[in-house]
Amino acid sequence: MKKIVIYFASLIVGLSLFISCEDLNEPVILKDSDKFVAFNTSAVSVKENNGEKIGILVYIASTGGAGCSVDFYFDTQGIALPAVEGVNFNVLNDTRTLTFTDSYGFDTIWIEPIDNLTYDKNKSIYITLSWPNNGYSLGRESSALLTVVDNEHPLSLVIGDYTIDYLTGYSSGGSDGSVSITTYPNPEDETQVYFLVGDMFPGYSFIDTEIILANVDLVAGTFKIAAGQAAPTHGYGPSKFTGYDAVTLEQFEDGEYITGTIDASGNITMPHYTGMQITSGSNEGKWFNLWKSSVWNKNGKGASNDNSVVVNQPRFK
């Protein structure tokens, strides 16, 4: 499949290589010797259970003239849990060669995941471009990491997308609020999931690798978050996840568990006050946000199971 996408890849190269730091008014120039092919991303994931193929785009960029052909191959060097073609995925391209008839546009590598009905964790493999002809070189993204996301994780019930509806703790009656988060499995502990602080408390400049871990016990139906988990921020000073007991109204000590319940569809009810509290500086003790109670509604009622790791590796505590 090919489509005309004029200037897209050329603009990427121009911005990254040819804009002068001293004079931003200089024109962006792509020389003929700089023509290349490259992936549009360095990583992509596909869910094992969705039954749908995915397309991984490869772009070509040049000043004009003829296009080129480029091969691709698979490599598992340095990967602890490698994906295996024919076991974890199939390649739907007729050949391992992409052919560009024009000097601009893109072609597609098509991947179809295989559901093996076995929990063997996420599997990954590199797709690498090689040997472009007609004077083309490889661009910066000459390799893309493909991850086949396992859907048989033991905590699948509470892994995926959630909409959290909450009451704020700032008034006696409370007021409605809502945020959307995604929970992911902790690759270092199969009894835990994590989510991003910035998703749970948006608008407070939390960086995208700051996480909160939760302990899950599906037999007991409990979702337990340890109070005191640290999450430094950009503008307000260091902070921690904590809250108040709904019955005693006493603040949880660091290390104490704030416990919610899980129903059969993966929805979570958190009856306690929870929030992010600043721990030092002139704002010590103040809250970024404080929820009086919250109900975590799982989108798809347990069907969603995106176990993929976020692009920037989380900071596990």
PDB file of all heavy atoms in Angstrom, residues 226-244:
ATOM      1  N   ALA A 226      -0.141   1.494  48.640  1.00  0.00           N
ATOM      2  CA  ALA A 226       0.616   1.899  49.823  1.00  0.00           C
ATOM      3  C   ALA A 226       0.751   3.414  49.872  1.00  0.00           C
ATOM      4  O   ALA A 226       1.175   4.048  48.897  1.00  0.00           O
ATOM      5  CB  ALA A 226       1.994   1.248  49.824  1.00  0.00           C
ATOM      6  N   ALA A 227       0.384   4.010  51.000  1.00  0.00           N
ATOM      7  CA  ALA A 227       0.556   5.445  51.188  1.00  0.00           C
ATOM      8  C   ALA A 227       2.040   5.780  51.283  1.00  0.00           C
ATOM      9  O   ALA A 227       2.853   4.965  51.711  1.00  0.00           O
ATOM     10  CB  ALA A 227      -0.163   5.900  52.451  1.00  0.00           C
ATOM     11  N   GLY A 228       2.395   6.984  50.854  1.00  0.00           N
ATOM     12  CA  GLY A 228       3.773   7.442  50.958  1.00  0.00           C
ATOM     13  C   GLY A 228       4.618   7.232  49.724  1.00  0.00           C
ATOM     14  O   GLY A 228       5.801   7.584  49.731  1.00  0.00           O
ATOM     15  N   GLN A 229       4.044   6.683  48.642  1.00  0.00           N
ATOM     16  CA  GLN A 229       4.817   6.512  47.409  1.00  0.00           C
ATOM     17  C   GLN A 229       5.175   7.883  46.846  1.00  0.00           C
ATOM     18  O   GLN A 229       4.313   8.727  46.635  1.00  0.00           O
ATOM     19  CB  GLN A 229       4.021   5.696  46.395  1.00  0.00           C
ATOM     20  CG  GLN A 229       3.752   4.273  46.853  1.00  0.00           C
ATOM     21  CD  GLN A 229       3.110   3.430  45.777  1.00  0.00           C
ATOM     22  OE1 GLN A 229       3.642   3.261  44.677  1.00  0.00           O
ATOM     23  NE2 GLN A 229       1.931   2.886  46.091  1.00  0.00           N
ATOM     24  N   ALA A 230       6.461   8.078  46.610  1.00  0.00           N
ATOM     25  CA  ALA A 230       6.966   9.413  46.265  1.00  0.00           C
ATOM     26  C   ALA A 230       6.827   9.696  44.785  1.00  0.00           C
ATOM     27  O   ALA A 230       6.967   8.811  43.943  1.00  0.00           O
ATOM     28  CB  ALA A 230       8.428   9.543  46.683  1.00  0.00           C
ATOM     29  N   ALA A 231       6.566  10.967  44.460  1.00  0.00           N
ATOM     30  CA  ALA A 231       6.502  11.423  43.071  1.00  0.00           C
ATOM     31  C   ALA A 231       6.920  12.879  43.018  1.00  0.00           C
ATOM     32  O   ALA A 231       6.075  13.768  43.109  1.00  0.00           O
ATOM     33  CB  ALA A 231       5.104  11.243  42.495  1.00  0.00           C
ATOM     34  N   PRO A 232       8.222  13.171  42.917  1.00  0.00           N
ATOM     35  CA  PRO A 232       8.656  14.561  42.791  1.00  0.00           C
ATOM     36  C   PRO A 232       8.015  15.211  41.571  1.00  0.00           C
ATOM     37  O   PRO A 232       7.688  14.546  40.592  1.00  0.00           O
ATOM     38  CB  PRO A 232      10.172  14.436  42.615  1.00  0.00           C
ATOM     39  CG  PRO A 232      10.512  13.097  43.162  1.00  0.00           C
ATOM     40  CD  PRO A 232       9.328  12.233  42.877  1.00  0.00           C
ATOM     41  N   THR A 233       7.833  16.532  41.620  1.00  0.00           N
ATOM     42  CA  THR A 233       7.205  17.245  40.512  1.00  0.00           C
ATOM     43  C   THR A 233       8.113  18.353  40.008  1.00  0.00           C
ATOM     44  O   THR A 233       9.131  18.681  40.618  1.00  0.00           O
ATOM     45  CB  THR A 233       5.871  17.857  40.953  1.00  0.00           C
ATOM     46  OG1 THR A 233       6.142  18.916  41.872  1.00  0.00           O
ATOM     47  CG2 THR A 233       4.978  16.837  41.633  1.00  0.00           C
ATOM     48  N   HIS A 234       7.734  18.927  38.897  1.00  0.00           N
ATOM     49  CA  HIS A 234       8.532  20.008  38.320  1.00  0.00           C
ATOM     50  C   HIS A 234       8.435  21.308  39.111  1.00  0.00           C
ATOM     51  O   HIS A 234       9.424  21.952  39.391  1.00  0.00           O
ATOM     52  CB  HIS A 234       8.080  20.272  36.881  1.00  0.00           C
ATOM     53  CG  HIS A 234       8.529  19.214  35.918  1.00  0.00           C
ATOM     54  ND1 HIS A 234       9.848  18.867  35.780  1.00  0.00           N
ATOM     55  CD2 HIS A 234       7.839  18.456  35.051  1.00  0.00           C
ATOM     56  CE1 HIS A 234       9.946  17.925  34.857  1.00  0.00           C
ATOM     57  NE2 HIS A 234       8.745  17.653  34.405  1.00  0.00           N
ATOM     58  N   GLY A 235       7.225  21.712  39.491  1.00  0.00           N
ATOM     59  CA  GLY A 235       7.061  23.073  39.967  1.00  0.00           C
ATOM     60  C   GLY A 235       6.697  23.263  41.419  1.00  0.00           C
ATOM     61  O   GLY A 235       6.841  24.353  41.951  1.00  0.00           O
ATOM     62  N   TYR A 236       6.229  22.211  42.093  1.00  0.00           N
ATOM     63  CA  TYR A 236       5.671  22.407  43.428  1.00  0.00           C
ATOM     64  C   TYR A 236       6.488  21.746  44.537  1.00  0.00           C
ATOM     65  O   TYR A 236       6.120  21.831  45.702  1.00  0.00           O
ATOM     66  CB  TYR A 236       4.242  21.864  43.483  1.00  0.00           C
ATOM     67  CG  TYR A 236       3.308  22.571  42.536  1.00  0.00           C
ATOM     68  CD1 TYR A 236       3.057  22.055  41.268  1.00  0.00           C
ATOM     69  CD2 TYR A 236       2.680  23.755  42.904  1.00  0.00           C
ATOM     70  CE1 TYR A 236       2.195  22.701  40.395  1.00  0.00           C
ATOM     71  CE2 TYR A 236       1.817  24.405  42.040  1.00  0.00           C
ATOM     72  CZ  TYR A 236       1.578  23.872  40.783  1.00  0.00           C
ATOM     73  OH  TYR A 236       0.733  24.513  39.915  1.00  0.00           O
ATOM     74  N   GLY A 237       7.548  21.065  44.209  1.00  0.00           N
ATOM     75  CA  GLY A 237       8.320  20.371  45.210  1.00  0.00           C
ATOM     76  C   GLY A 237       7.947  18.896  45.268  1.00  0.00           C
ATOM     77  O   GLY A 237       7.013  18.449  44.610  1.00  0.00           O
ATOM     78  N   PRO A 238       8.678  18.106  46.079  1.00  0.00           N
ATOM     79  CA  PRO A 238       8.394  16.674  46.177  1.00  0.00           C
ATOM     80  C   PRO A 238       7.026  16.409  46.782  1.00  0.00           C
ATOM     81  O   PRO A 238       6.500  17.211  47.563  1.00  0.00           O
ATOM     82  CB  PRO A 238       9.524  16.156  47.077  1.00  0.00           C
ATOM     83  CG  PRO A 238       9.995  17.352  47.820  1.00  0.00           C
ATOM     84  CD  PRO A 238       9.811  18.517  46.917  1.00  0.00           C
ATOM     85  N   SER A 239       6.436  15.276  46.415  1.00  0.00           N
ATOM     86  CA  SER A 239       5.093  14.957  46.862  1.00  0.00           C
ATOM     87  C   SER A 239       4.981  13.459  47.095  1.00  0.00           C
ATOM     88  O   SER A 239       5.881  12.688  46.765  1.00  0.00           O
ATOM     89  CB  SER A 239       4.063  15.406  45.831  1.00  0.00           C
ATOM     90  OG  SER A 239       4.265  14.711  44.610  1.00  0.00           O
ATOM     91  N   LYS A 240       3.844  13.032  47.640  1.00  0.00           N
ATOM     92  CA  LYS A 240       3.599  11.615  47.859  1.00  0.00           C
ATOM     93  C   LYS A 240       2.108  11.323  47.717  1.00  0.00           C
ATOM     94  O   LYS A 240       1.257  12.197  47.894  1.00  0.00           O
ATOM     95  CB  LYS A 240       4.066  11.181  49.249  1.00  0.00           C
ATOM     96  CG  LYS A 240       3.290  11.819  50.407  1.00  0.00           C
ATOM     97  CD  LYS A 240       3.806  11.330  51.756  1.00  0.00           C
ATOM     98  CE  LYS A 240       3.026  11.959  52.922  1.00  0.00           C
ATOM     99  NZ  LYS A 240       3.545  11.503  54.239  1.00  0.00           N
ATOM    100  N   PHE A 241       1.818  10.074  47.386  1.00  0.00           N
ATOM    101  CA  PHE A 241       0.434   9.617  47.326  1.00  0.00           C
ATOM    102  C   PHE A 241       0.014   9.195  48.724  1.00  0.00           C
ATOM    103  O   PHE A 241       0.682   8.400  49.381  1.00  0.00           O
ATOM    104  CB  PHE A 241       0.296   8.432  46.369  1.00  0.00           C
ATOM    105  CG  PHE A 241      -1.116   7.925  46.242  1.00  0.00           C
ATOM    106  CD1 PHE A 241      -1.975   8.477  45.309  1.00  0.00           C
ATOM    107  CD2 PHE A 241      -1.584   6.910  47.057  1.00  0.00           C
ATOM    108  CE1 PHE A 241      -3.284   8.022  45.186  1.00  0.00           C
ATOM    109  CE2 PHE A 241      -2.880   6.446  46.950  1.00  0.00           C
ATOM    110  CZ  PHE A 241      -3.723   7.000  46.011  1.00  0.00           C
ATOM    111  N   THR A 242      -1.090   9.712  49.207  1.00  0.00           N
ATOM    112  CA  THR A 242      -1.569   9.368  50.536  1.00  0.00           C
ATOM    113  C   THR A 242      -3.050   9.708  50.627  1.00  0.00           C
ATOM    114  O   THR A 242      -3.711   9.917  49.605  1.00  0.00           O
ATOM    115  CB  THR A 242      -0.758  10.086  51.636  1.00  0.00           C
ATOM    116  OG1 THR A 242      -1.165   9.619  52.924  1.00  0.00           O
ATOM    117  CG2 THR A 242      -0.911  11.584  51.553  1.00  0.00           C
ATOM    118  N   GLY A 243      -3.595   9.749  51.845  1.00  0.00           N
ATOM    119  CA  GLY A 243      -5.011  10.056  51.999  1.00  0.00           C
ATOM    120  C   GLY A 243      -5.467   9.916  53.430  1.00  0.00           C
ATOM    121  O   GLY A 243      -4.654   9.832  54.360  1.00  0.00           O
ATOM    122  N   TYR A 244      -6.798   9.881  53.605  1.00  0.00           N
ATOM    123  CA  TYR A 244      -7.415   9.772  54.921  1.00  0.00           C
ATOM    124  C   TYR A 244      -8.343   8.567  54.958  1.00  0.00           C
ATOM    125  O   TYR A 244      -9.004   8.246  53.963  1.00  0.00           O
ATOM    126  CB  TYR A 244      -8.239  11.021  55.249  1.00  0.00           C
ATOM    127  CG  TYR A 244      -7.433  12.265  55.462  1.00  0.00           C
ATOM    128  CD1 TYR A 244      -7.140  13.115  54.393  1.00  0.00           C
ATOM    129  CD2 TYR A 244      -6.970  12.611  56.730  1.00  0.00           C
ATOM    130  CE1 TYR A 244      -6.407  14.275  54.590  1.00  0.00           C
ATOM    131  CE2 TYR A 244      -6.238  13.767  56.937  1.00  0.00           C
ATOM    132  CZ  TYR A 244      -5.961  14.595  55.864  1.00  0.00           C
ATOM    133  OH  TYR A 244      -5.229  15.740  56.061  1.00  0.00           O
TER     134      TYR A 244
END
